[in-house]
Amino acid sequence: MKYDYLIVGAGLFGAVFAHQAKKQGKTCLVIDRRNHIGGNIYCETIEDIRVHRYGAHIFHTSDKEVWEYVNQFVSFNHYINAPVAIYKDELYNLPFNMNTFSKMWNIRTPQEAKQIIQSQIEELNIQDPQNLEEQALKLVGKDVYEKLIQGYTEKQWGRSCKELPAFIIKRLPLRFTYDNNYFSDPYQGIPIEGYNALIEGLLQGIEVQLSTDYVQWNKQTEHQAEKIVYTGMIDEFFDFCYGALEYRTVSFETEVLDCDNYQGNAVVNYTEKEIPYTRIIEHKHFEFGTQRKTVISKEYPAEWQKGSEPYYPVNDEKNQQLYQKYQQLAKTQPNVLFGGRLGAYRYYDMDKVIRAALDAAKQEFDC
């Protein structure tokens, strides 16, 4: 065998596992079908601005070990995610907090907000929610749902909230403080050196082949690795033998604008259903940029089709049952470790991907 490990995918899971394997003296080859490393956290530079090509990625974690791990390779700025939402001609702070409620109802105190929300919930009298709409209404009431949840969710999923299962929204946090910090994690920020530098640090000294498809590579170079770490789509690995798992995908419309500040915030959500995009990202604000121009990206959700990029697993009952069939099939492949967002068919925050990769490496190498 030429390599101890073939690692399919140069995203976070693959890069972390490769780094840990190298520390154990293992030989690794990392391949990726894209022409760059980093997976979906890859950034490209436009007008001296780092642009998140595959959508906004904001690092946040409560896991101190993960935080210390990534800080070996990059340092972080003090960016705090505080998105705003636009509904028609109204602007609201996110997450749902006292700034949101004060603007919505012209009130000031937590008690007033709680009374309004509770009265709306009681008036609806939903005992056993049968779909996402009923679940959301039972949690937050009519006003918050109609203005800030319904349109955005229906665009994101491409179907009516009445057609979506209730379990998708298990809880909707309501904060009765004037706090716009979207995440409650103690560690948060954007790498000062950029996400590309994080991946480059993880893969330092490891052989990488880009623009390399696993299926074609395997046909041409069979049996050159003792084990495989596969971070692609688990159903694709098995040639979709049980059928394709469903995903939502996103397309991006990126523009360079001849102004220094387009929207005053990195993330602005558009919750009105009639506007086709879900949000606009202004990339320079992630790094407090002062460049003369700015770069924005509009995000358009769509149904995933073979050949497009899979982003969000559709974790409804039908797809979970299908995934479990592939999981059972994976157990017949003792020399293949499936990981990452696509290999595990689940949505991961970045810190959770890193944690999963560290845990997988610890189990693999007993270290």
Side-chain angles (χ1 to χ4, degrees):
M1 295 294 177
K2 187 174 180 182
Y3 303 99
D4 294 314
Y5 290 89
L6 168 68
I7 297 170
V8 182
L12 267 175
F13 189 99
V16 169
F17 189 95
H19 183 80
Q20 297 302 101
K22 182 175 181 290
K23 288 203 298 186
Q24 297 299 315
K26 305 298 182 181
T27 56
C28 299
L29 170 65
V30 178
I31 66 172
D32 200 295
R33 64 171 52 161
R34 291 173 174 172
N35 63 0
H36 60 75
I37 61 173
N40 284 2
I41 67 171
Y42 171 74
C43 295
E44 58 186 338
T45 301
I46 301 174
E47 295 290 342
D48 198 34
I49 297 167
R50 264 193 287 262
V51 173
H52 299 212
R53 185 192 283 188
Y54 303 98
H57 284 82
I58 300 150
F59 196 90
H60 59 98
T61 187
S62 298
D63 190 327
K64 188 176 182 182
E65 182 184 353
V66 167
W67 179 247
E68 291 173 348
Y69 185 81
V70 293
N71 273 272
Q72 297 175 89
F73 309 101
V74 288
S75 49
F76 286 78
N77 67 17
H78 59 283
Y79 175 82
I80 296 295
N81 191 31
V84 296
I86 293 176
Y87 175 79
K88 297 186 177 179
D89 60 349
E90 302 168 13
L91 187 146
Y92 296 100
N93 292 102
L94 297 176
F96 311 137
N97 69 77
M98 282 306 299
N99 288 305
T100 318
F101 309 142
S102 176
K103 177 70 177 290
M104 190 170 289
W105 300 310
N106 192 29
I107 58 169
R108 291 190 305 171
T109 69
Q111 190 59 36
E112 289 174 296
K114 289 177 183 179
Q115 286 175 348
I116 291 171
I117 292 169
Q118 190 57 39
S119 67
Q120 290 185 3
I121 291 172
E122 289 174 357
E123 186 177 324
L124 292 163
N125 193 31
I126 298 169
Q127 300 299 322
D128 183 22
Q130 297 300 304
N131 53 53
L132 186 148
E133 177 170 283
E134 292 181 356
Q135 179 69 64
L137 287 167
K138 182 176 172 61
L139 291 170
V140 299
K142 184 171 179 287
D143 290 348
V144 174
Y145 169 72
E146 291 183 350
K147 292 188 175 186
L148 299 179
I149 297 172
Q150 183 178 18
Y152 189 94
T153 303
E154 292 184 348
K155 287 189 288 186
Q156 190 78 9
W157 290 95
R159 44 187 62 84
S160 166
C161 288
K162 294 177 182 176
E163 299 171 15
L164 292 167
F167 70 77
I168 289 179
I169 295 184
K170 295 178 181 176
R171 58 189 294 269
L172 286 168
L174 298 173
R175 292 186 190 167
F176 295 98
T177 58
Y178 288 89
D179 180 8
N180 296 326
N181 184 350
Y182 196 84
F183 304 117
S184 57
D185 299 306
Y187 311 112
Q188 183 177 166
I190 303 288
I192 293 170
E193 301 88 348
Y195 284 111
N196 296 359
L198 170 59
I199 301 296
E200 288 164 4
L202 286 163
L203 293 177
Q204 186 174 6
I206 297 169
E207 186 177 350
V208 178
Q209 291 181 15
L210 300 176
S211 302
T212 302
D213 180 79
Y214 167 70
V215 174
Q216 295 303 316
W217 187 93
N218 197 42
K219 285 178 181 177
Q220 297 165 9
T221 55
E222 198 173 2
H223 305 312
Q224 290 213 12
E226 187 74 29
K227 287 191 173 184
I228 297 170
V229 177
Y230 190 82
T231 70
M233 297 165 61
I234 189 170
D235 50 349
E236 185 178 36
F237 182 89
F238 294 107
D239 199 26
F240 304 102
C241 64
Y242 295 134
L245 291 162
E246 291 182 289
Y247 292 87
R248 294 290 289 169
T249 188
V250 183
S251 62
F252 301 93
E253 184 181 283
T254 298
E255 304 173 63
V256 177
L257 302 179
D258 194 14
C259 66
D260 65 346
N261 189 356
Y262 173 72
Q263 62 186 15
N265 206 49
V267 182
V268 177
N269 290 359
Y270 286 79
T271 61
E272 186 181 348
K273 188 178 181 182
E274 287 68 27
I275 294 176
Y277 45 86
T278 50
R279 61 182 183 175
I280 298 178
I281 307 301
E282 188 167 8
H283 300 269
K284 70 190 301 180
H285 294 310
F286 291 124
E287 302 184 42
F288 315 107
T290 58
Q291 298 89 342
R292 189 180 66 82
K293 295 186 178 182
T294 194
V295 181
I296 65 168
S297 296
K298 296 176 181 177
E299 299 188 7
Y300 296 84
E303 290 290 338
W304 175 81
Q305 304 290 336
K306 288 182 182 179
S308 61
E309 289 293 340
Y311 280 86
Y312 305 107
V314 181
N315 292 125
D316 59 13
E317 187 175 347
K318 177 185 73 172
N319 281 284
Q320 283 304 114
Q321 289 176 355
L322 181 57
Y323 170 64
Q324 286 169 14
K325 292 174 71 174
Y326 281 116
Q327 248 189 333
Q328 290 302 311
L329 203 53
K331 291 177 181 178
T332 68
Q333 304 285 324
N335 291 328
V336 183
L337 190 159
F338 294 89
R341 181 175 47 91
L342 305 180
Y345 194 64
R346 59 179 294 185
Y347 179 78
Y348 273 119
D349 285 330
M350 287 180 283
D351 65 320
K352 302 300 189 299
V353 175
I354 294 168
R355 167 49 61 198
L358 289 173
D359 290 347
K362 185 176 183 180
Q363 183 174 348
E364 183 75 8
F365 307 121
D366 194 26
C367 62

